[in-house]
Each structure stands twice: as C-alpha cells, then as structure tokens.
C-alpha cells in the first residue's frame, strides 16, 4: 500500500519533498513506524532517518540515498542496529547533501519479523 502526494516546501532553497511510505502491515501504521525528515538550509539539504514506536523495540535499519539527476551518480548507505522507546522518536542516521540535486531516500526498519519501509524523493525547484 502506498501513501502518495505529500509535497512539502523546504525553506528558501526551493526544494520539494514528494513521498511514498509503505509498510508490510498497512500504511506505516502499527507499533513501528518510519519517517524520512528533510530540511534545507544554507545551500544544503539534510535528510534524517527516524524510527517511532508505541512500544520499546529494537532491530536493524538500512538508510539509502541515491542521486537521480544530473551527470554521474552516487549512493550513500547507512545501517546498523537501533532501539526506540515509546513516544521518543529515534534519529538513526543523517546525511547532508548539496541543494542542487534530486535524491531518492529509502529507509527500512526490521524488528521481530516485521519490516517497515519509507521512501522520499527530494529536490528540484518549486
């Protein structure tokens, strides 16, 4: 299942955030949820991988950012173990990128046999 059509302007840098979030048990509903947060400042864009939960959980995460516009390309991968407490979102990773590109960001959380995935595309002028 997909949640599509979320567009957020990111400050004066002129970025848009178009996203789709999906989970194995519905639209990112349930005890474990993920989010990719984007913010623009000073010619840079910051992408943060965030986990939230209604219960204390632990597991593993994979955060992948890929440039999708312009010449050449690059991929950044982060991952490892995570733990999250109820009501306290946990930032799992953060990446700073040049504001002139277009980037696909994907976050995957796995815990106790459940996998939750989020995806966002960031970039371009308004």
């Amino acid at each position: 299942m997909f949640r599509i059509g979320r567009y957020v302007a990111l400050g004066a840098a002129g970025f848009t955030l178009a996203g789709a979030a999906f989970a194995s048990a519905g639209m990112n509903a349930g005890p474990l949820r993920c989010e990719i947060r984007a913010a623009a400042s000073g010619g840079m864009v910051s992408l943060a991988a965030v986990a939230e939960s209604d219960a204390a959980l632990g597991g593993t995460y994979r955060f992948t950012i890929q440039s999708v516009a312009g010449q050449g390309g690059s991929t950044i991968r982060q991952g490892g173990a995570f733990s999250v407490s109820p009501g306290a979102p946990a930032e799992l990773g953060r990446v700073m990128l040049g504001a002139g590109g277009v980037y696909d960001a994907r976050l995957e959380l796995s815990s106790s046999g459940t996998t939750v995935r989020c995806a966002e595309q960031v970039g371009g002028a308004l």
Side-chain angles (χ1 to χ4, degrees):
M1 300 187 102
F2 288 93
R3 179 173 43 99
I4 300 175
R6 183 166 49 137
Y7 297 90
V8 179
L10 296 174
F15 272 85
T16 60
L17 174 68
F22 51 96
S24 60
M27 291 176 37
N28 224 357
L32 181 61
R33 296 173 301 282
C34 65
E35 180 181 3
I36 297 170
R37 295 181 182 169
S41 177
M44 301 291 286
V45 64
S46 168
L47 299 176
V50 178
E52 296 184 64
S53 179
D54 296 332
L57 294 173
T60 59
Y61 78 97
R62 289 188 309 182
F63 187 35
T64 306
I65 300 92
Q66 184 171 22
S67 63
V68 294
Q71 293 187 23
S74 62
T75 302
I76 299 167
R77 291 183 179 91
Q78 298 179 355
F82 77 90
S83 62
V84 62
S85 299
E91 184 175 300
L92 308 177
R94 178 177 293 270
V95 176
M96 296 293 293
L97 304 162
V102 177
Y103 306 99
D104 281 340
R106 300 189 181 282
L107 174 59
E108 180 177 288
L109 308 176
S110 296
S111 177
S112 301
T114 298
T115 300
V116 177
R117 296 176 182 93
C118 298
E120 303 286 355
Q121 186 173 75
V122 178
L126 290 171

